[in-house]
Amino acid sequence: MNISRRNLLRATTTLPLLGAAGVASCSSVSQSRSSGSGARVIVVGGGYGGAIAAKYLKKLDPSLDVLLIEQNPSYVSCPLSNEVLSGERDLMSLTFSYKGLSAQGINIMQDRVVAVDADKQTVTGSSGNHYRYDKLVLSPGVDYRWEAIEGYSEALADQRFPHAWKAGPQTQLLRDQLLAMRDGGVVLIAAPPNPFRCPPGPYERAAQIAHYLHHHKPKSKVMMLDAKDAFSKQGLFRAGWKRFYGDMIEWVGAAGDGKVQALHADSNTLVGEFNEYQGDVINIIPPQKAGKLAFIAGVTDASGWCPVDQGSFASTLKPHIHVIGDASIAGKMPKSGYAANSQGKVCAAAIVAELNGMERPEPSYVNTCYSIISPEYGISVAAVYELQNGSIVPIAGAGGLSPADASDATRAREARFARGWFKNITSDMFS
Amino acid sequence: MKPYLLAAVVLATAVTTGTASAVPRSEAMLANTCAGCHGTDGHSAGGNMPSLGGLSKRYLYKTMRDYRDDLRPSTIMGRIARGYSDLELRAIASHFAAQSWQSRHDGTQPKLIKRGAELHQQLCASCHTDNGRTQSGETPRLAGQWFDYLQDQIGAMSAVHYRGSQPNRMLQRMSELSAADGEALSHFYASQR
């Protein structure tokens, strides 16, 4: 979308509306202010959180100098990437450029941030460039606790045992391994302990892999070794697995020896507390922590995640730095793409208000996660959140799961809505 | 905002709130939570997510309220709408109503568009006037809406057990519509500007 002059003007008028709209709380704001602060805000990380934060910062206050620093030239979406494993889509369909954001007046810089100086308010890139900010938004995503699974490593993930928990080359590697596997083979999926990115993701992945195997290698099995005893949308997933894939998917929870301790790479074996499991294809989704960028910036606590003021996503550890998305500790919100989208907007509104001398606007948040069990069979979970005593909590009576007894027509519609969701959330981010 | 007016708004929120936040939130703050599925400012990028930007405030409010109160069936909208009070739904409706409509020209099959135009005249034109371009508080604009959404809704309304808050006369007509004619109607409205 090219923002027309008219749209820009309308966006400008959005700023005083933050305080002046019918249900807004702020009565002390100068409503004639339309020139904006002209401050410089840097966003690092151009995914579901960062791209949205950059876009909405500029939309709410066009006078801002917004710089988005991202290490990759384009973005590959993790949501919907399980469909690459089934062969229902390719990685290109998940790949987006930053041109749309650039066309809106957001500066885009391809660079990898290697240092953050919170006192001097600068970030440094691997290019050697220094960038000064008034406000810094970090959207670091997740990193992996390699040490939690003995014998596993970043190098092994890249070459032989992909986590494929960031979409890209590892997603393709896992797909290629499935294509090369013999009929009758065993696919092992190690699912991580809470908290982790995309709570329903491992279970949708089991379904998508089973979808491929069911049609091409029907004697094969998918075995999930899970570090937990319960998981997201559990009843709906188990019913869907059974319905489409019979006994092909076996799930082993923590109590049943599902907690993977080690990888024996030489023998393609995962080691539980009591047993060893050999697989033809092994997908290890490791235990997680905030992305490297968060550690570089010093905004993580002992949990490995980032404590923030949940109404603005301002770090509680460093001034003028905000952390959004999977890396942040965001009350009851899951680590999901939609949550990051919602948080990016709340964060942008809080920053714009502060830079313009206004009160922080009262936040509103939503999460919606779809999972596709079979191409015409989708399920969802949703929640609407508010801030209560500093914590993000779901509003009682709203949200929840797709009904267990939904008709096939409803499941088919939800699968279509999953794809419509993807089209729209990525357009919200990139156009 | 003048202090007494603010107090009135806060009071109104408190009175009408069943489940939603007691602290007032701005129209844009509330409506931005919808954009992940309905596109920025309700300008949908397609699929069966309808465009909301530029529809009438009353229609948007009533539809969200009906989803919330289970007067109109949905897969997910009921679950989401239950997170907002009447006042908040009005605020969301107000934000989207303030946008200008963007037609999508999404209907692509000339033969079906022609058939759809005939069906429109026979069945729909008395309320959805000017080829579905005009709108009122009760009647949404259809011209330039996304094909997949039109098709989805006509399909849902024509199902045997469908019960919704839409006008009975329309539901009756939709229930008698063949799938092929539903598709033709969708192509017609989607092709309009």
Side-chain angles (χ1 to χ4, degrees):
Chain A
M1 180 182 75
N2 286 316
I3 276 219
S4 66
R5 183 173 167 75
R6 195 166 152 200
N7 278 338
L8 271 177
L9 289 171
R10 193 187 313 124
T12 310
T13 62
T14 310
L15 177 59
L17 275 177
L18 274 174
V23 291
S25 59
C26 193
S27 57
S28 60
V29 180
S30 158
Q31 294 180 13
S32 61
R33 181 165 199 160
S34 59
S35 56
S37 66
R40 181 173 228 206
V41 184
I42 295 181
V43 180
V44 187
Y48 275 77
I52 279 292
K55 170 165 161 172
Y56 277 74
L57 280 161
K58 192 73 181 170
K59 179 168 153 53
L60 289 169
D61 184 353
S63 80
L64 287 181
D65 173 9
V66 180
L67 172 64
L68 174 62
I69 302 177
E70 160 61 41
Q71 59 184 330
N72 296 309
S74 57
Y75 183 71
V76 185
S77 169
C78 218
L80 277 282
S81 67
N82 282 328
E83 281 200 324
V84 174
L85 303 177
S86 61
E88 292 290 314
R89 66 167 67 233
D90 58 25
L91 280 170
M92 271 317 290
S93 72
L94 302 171
T95 305
F96 298 86
S97 92
Y98 292 98
K99 284 182 188 148
L101 289 177
S102 180
Q104 292 169 48
I106 294 160
N107 298 306
I108 314 286
M109 181 62 74
Q110 191 187 339
D111 203 348
R112 186 167 52 82
V113 168
V114 293
V116 175
D117 188 327
D119 295 328
K120 291 187 182 144
Q121 294 179 229
T122 58
V123 299
T124 304
S126 60
S127 63
N129 288 342
H130 299 282
Y131 310 90
R132 189 202 55 78
Y133 61 82
D134 294 307
K135 293 284 174 188
L136 178 63
V137 180
L138 304 178
S139 194
V142 296
D143 197 5
Y144 307 100
R145 299 177 190 268
W146 303 105
E147 70 286 357
I149 296 176
E150 193 191 323
Y152 195 38
S153 67
E154 193 162 2
L156 279 172
D158 280 335
Q159 291 153 23
R160 286 182 57 201
F161 305 101
H163 56 70
W165 216 236
K166 290 176 187 176
Q170 287 196 25
T171 314
Q172 195 59 53
L173 174 61
L174 185 53
R175 167 70 179 160
D176 293 344
Q177 290 178 343
L178 293 169
L179 287 174
M181 191 182 83
R182 67 187 168 95
D183 188 9
V186 175
V187 178
L188 294 178
I189 302 174
N194 293 321
F196 66 100
R197 160 178 284 181
C198 192
Y203 314 96
E204 181 192 60
R205 171 167 293 181
Q208 290 290 331
I209 290 175
H211 179 68
Y212 165 71
L213 297 175
H214 185 71
H215 287 95
H216 297 95
K217 290 160 188 173
K219 291 183 220 151
S220 309
K221 284 207 66 161
V222 177
M223 187 174 197
M224 292 197 83
L225 299 169
D226 203 329
K228 306 176 292 300
D229 279 319
F231 59 87
S232 170
K233 307 178 194 169
Q234 185 162 351
L236 292 171
F237 270 117
R238 300 205 74 154
W241 289 347
K242 184 91 189 156
R243 156 117 186 236
F244 290 97
Y245 311 117
D247 295 327
M248 184 177 262
I249 300 171
E250 183 186 350
W251 179 77
V252 179
D257 195 32
K259 199 164 181 293
V260 171
Q261 318 281 306
L263 165 71
H264 291 166
D266 294 345
S267 58
N268 272 22
T269 304
L270 291 177
V271 183
E273 283 171 288
F274 306 106
N275 297 299
E276 299 194 346
Y277 306 87
Q278 202 175 29
D280 295 86
V281 171
I282 299 181
N283 169 217
I284 301 174
I285 306 167
Q288 293 163 30
K289 60 184 177 183
K292 283 193 185 78
L293 175 62
F295 288 87
I296 288 171
V299 290
T300 54
D301 69 12
S303 72
W305 303 98
C306 305
V308 293
D309 171 328
Q310 294 179 18
S312 67
F313 294 89
S315 169
T316 57
L317 301 175
K318 301 271 182 184
H320 305 299
I321 300 180
H322 295 241
V323 188
I324 56 174
D326 294 343
S328 69
I329 299 171
K332 296 291 185 189
M333 293 187 93
K335 299 188 183 303
S336 76
Y338 206 110
N341 174 291
S342 204
Q343 292 162 12
K345 291 166 183 174
V346 167
C347 174
I351 288 174
V352 168
E354 189 189 334
L355 289 172
N356 287 279
M358 293 155 68
E359 243 177 81
R360 173 179 64 66
E362 191 62 24
S364 178
Y365 329 73
V366 163
N367 178 55
T368 301
C369 289
Y370 284 97
S371 303
I372 302 175
I373 292 178
S374 169
E376 291 296 310
Y377 191 96
I379 56 175
S380 64
V381 64
V384 184
Y385 303 88
E386 65 182 340
L387 193 65
Q388 269 183 21
N389 304 321
S391 287
I392 300 171
V393 294
I395 291 171
L401 296 164
S402 309
D405 61 355
S407 67
D408 284 0
T410 296
R411 300 280 193 237
R413 285 178 81 199
E414 290 225 278
R416 291 197 292 275
F417 281 127
R419 298 188 180 97
W421 172 95
F422 179 67
K423 223 175 229 186
N424 277 282
I425 200 163
T426 53
S427 123
D428 199 23
M429 290 158 74
F430 294 115
S431 59
Chain B
M1 190 180 288
K2 289 179 177 146
Y4 67 86
L5 192 55
L6 181 70
V9 169
V10 172
L11 190 63
T13 313
V15 170
T16 53
T17 292
T19 53
S21 172
V23 186
R25 296 178 286 188
S26 79
E27 292 180 359
M29 176 63 77
L30 291 163
N32 284 345
T33 62
C34 312
C37 290
H38 290 281
T40 308
D41 290 326
H43 299 307
S44 169
N48 47 6
M49 304 298 187
S51 274
L52 307 178
L55 293 182
S56 91
K57 179 177 173 180
R58 186 178 153 77
Y59 171 75
L60 288 165
Y61 168 62
K62 181 181 184 303
T63 305
M64 288 188 284
R65 203 188 53 190
D66 286 355
Y67 278 136
R68 186 192 66 190
D69 299 341
D70 271 339
L71 298 175
R72 178 168 170 164
S74 65
T75 57
I76 200 167
M77 275 309 304
R79 284 182 265 158
I80 291 174
R82 279 190 277 282
Y84 303 95
S85 67
D86 283 345
L87 197 70
E88 289 169 340
L89 292 181
R90 279 202 188 92
I92 293 169
S94 185
H95 179 86
F96 291 127
Q99 313 301 319
S100 53
W101 177 262
Q102 297 177 2
S103 285
R104 295 302 177 171
H105 327 306
D106 191 32
T108 49
Q109 302 199 27
K111 271 188 188 165
L112 289 176
I113 291 171
K114 189 161 174 285
R115 171 67 184 149
E118 291 164 15
L119 290 162
H120 162 73
Q121 284 304 331
Q122 288 166 24
L123 301 173
C124 318
S126 58
C127 295
H128 294 282
T129 55
D130 193 16
N131 289 347
R133 200 169 292 111
T134 56
Q135 58 176 336
S136 69
E138 302 291 331
T139 311
R141 181 186 176 116
L142 302 178
Q145 185 55 275
W146 286 101
F147 170 79
D148 284 345
Y149 170 71
L150 294 163
Q151 170 92 330
D152 175 83
Q153 287 297 303
I154 290 174
M157 284 189 285
S158 57
V160 183
H161 298 295
Y162 186 87
R163 295 281 177 277
S165 56
Q166 297 94 330
N168 281 331
R169 195 165 57 149
M170 177 172 79
L171 292 181
Q172 180 64 32
R173 288 174 185 183
M174 291 300 104
S175 72
E176 291 164 2
L177 204 65
S178 71
D181 281 351
E183 193 184 344
L185 256 187
S186 303
H187 269 289
F188 170 69
Y189 291 122
S191 72
Q192 298 298 302
R193 285 164 191 264

